[in-house]
Amino acid sequence: MVGKLYRTDDDRRDAGFALYYMAINIGAFAGPLITGWLADHRGYHWGFSAAAIGMTFGLVQYVAGRRHLAGRRHAAEFALAPDAMRRAVRLMVAGAVATAVVATVLALAGWLTIDRFVDVLTLVSVVAPVVYFRVMFTSPRVTAGERGRLRPYAVLFLASVVFNFILFQAYSTMILLASTNARTTILGFDFPASWYASALGAFEVALAPVVAAVWSRMGHRQPHVSNKIAFGVVLGGLSFLLMVLPTSGHADDTYRMAAWWIVGSYVLSASATCSWRPPGCRPPASSPRRPSPARRCRSGSSPSRWPTGSRPRP
């Protein structure tokens, strides 16, 4: 939807994605402030209910306003033929029913626990991209030239996995660390540990317009997409390397680090995200926009694999 606002050779594309990502992070900033306060003062049911209400309003707003989106289509750009669509729907329904039956039987037998369920999801998230890439590399519909363009896509996909393994610790491992080993006071103001999660969204909202302005001003001189992604991965690694300093030699829950250490780590994470996300919001195979190998072997496969790399399990 964002890409359709610009020509494929427009240097403002990455800047546009940066502003789009800034808008997303307004919710990432406000959400933990509201849900965290409710969880601490009213209970987790209130916090989760507030999150559900917020997501519902977001969906309503999107559906009500989507007619104004330039990239909106009434049908898929590379739609399946009617017979293939019906077959795909039947397979999805059958797969969903079979999965539900197997899960129910295993749960009743006491084998399917939440830990094992997470293990299964992790295994699927690892195996599925491998299978999809193998299909795309070995498909007879993919030419040698297209297969050559697919190789750097696989490298960027692995970079996406590494980057997001780091980034999404901010909402899990880092919050757990903050709740047990970090002070929750800044300049005399006390706050819930869950509010640390808002810091990342706040920094991304603040930095995204700056990054967008830099890319727009540089024009054709701006770094290549792959260089922006590499820079983001390096900054993401530095955000965790920074945490080695305050945590080394402290293995118990009595130690409390200063809040500025976590804030500094989030500044690096936000900088990494603003460098990574504008080009990473869209699959590299679609820039420049040309028929990708995935569209020749299975419509939409390549773009659909990109979120698999960008949402790994912590």
Side-chain angles (χ1 to χ4, degrees):
M1 292 181 294
V2 179
K4 291 293 185 180
L5 299 176
Y6 305 92
R7 299 188 310 274
T8 55
D9 59 346
D10 196 326
D11 293 325
R12 300 173 300 169
R13 283 172 64 88
D14 280 351
F17 276 100
L19 295 177
Y20 162 75
Y21 195 64
M22 179 198 72
I24 291 176
N25 277 285
I26 293 175
F29 163 69
L33 295 179
I34 299 171
T35 58
W37 186 90
L38 287 172
D40 280 2
H41 292 80
R42 297 291 183 179
Y44 281 101
H45 287 294
W46 284 80
F48 281 109
S49 297
I53 292 171
M55 289 186 286
T56 301
F57 277 122
L59 181 61
V60 170
Q61 185 272 336
Y62 171 76
V63 172
R66 63 181 175 177
R67 65 182 182 277
H68 302 296
L69 297 174
R72 182 180 66 90
R73 290 178 176 269
H74 294 288
E77 187 173 0
F78 297 91
L80 291 174
D83 290 341
M85 177 63 74
R86 284 191 291 269
R87 180 174 179 272
V89 171
R90 286 195 298 267
L91 288 175
M92 286 188 290
V93 171
V97 172
T99 301
V101 171
V102 172
T104 301
V105 172
L106 293 177
L108 293 175
W111 188 90
L112 185 60
T113 62
I114 187 63
D115 289 337
R116 287 173 177 169
F117 180 69
V118 171
D119 291 340
V120 170
L121 286 182
T122 302
L123 180 63
V124 170
S125 67
V126 172
V127 172
V130 174
V131 172
Y132 263 77
F133 274 113
R134 185 180 183 280
V135 169
M136 289 188 285
F137 273 112
T138 60
S139 174
R141 301 180 184 180
V142 178
T143 66
E146 291 172 333
R147 197 170 288 113
R149 292 200 300 271
L150 188 59
R151 292 190 183 95
Y153 181 92
V155 174
L156 293 179
F157 180 87
L158 292 176
S160 169
V161 173
V162 173
F163 174 79
N164 285 283
F165 264 127
I166 297 172
L167 176 65
F168 284 93
Q169 303 307 309
Y171 301 104
S172 54
T173 307
M174 291 288 282
I175 297 301
L176 292 175
L177 177 66
S179 65
T180 58
N181 292 97
R183 300 170 190 167
T184 54
T185 301
I186 293 183
L187 301 177
F189 174 74
D190 295 326
F191 57 92
S194 57
W195 282 15
Y196 274 113
S198 290
L200 183 58
F203 290 132
E204 289 173 349
V205 170
L207 291 174
V210 178
V211 173
V214 171
W215 295 155
S216 295
R217 182 174 293 274
M218 292 183 69
H220 289 296
R221 296 179 291 108
Q222 63 182 278
H224 189 267
V225 167
S226 58
N227 293 333
K228 295 176 183 178
I229 292 176
F231 186 60
V233 172
V234 171
L235 284 176
L238 290 176
S239 70
F240 256 53
L241 188 62
L242 176 66
M243 296 305 298
V244 173
L245 298 176
T247 56
S248 295
H250 302 284
D252 53 48
D253 292 342
T254 60
Y255 170 71
R256 293 290 188 271
M257 73 181 77
W260 298 110
W261 286 107
I262 296 181
V263 171
S265 177
Y266 281 168
V267 169
L268 289 173
S269 293
S271 302
T273 304
C274 289
S275 175
W276 163 271
R277 286 300 182 196
C281 279
R282 51 189 171 88
S286 66
S287 180
R289 291 189 65 83
R290 65 184 72 173
S292 68
R295 288 171 183 162
R296 293 176 62 86
C297 67
R298 184 171 297 174
S299 180
S301 295
S302 181
S304 69
R305 288 301 91 212
W306 194 248
T308 307
S310 61
R311 290 294 183 272
R313 301 294 176 195

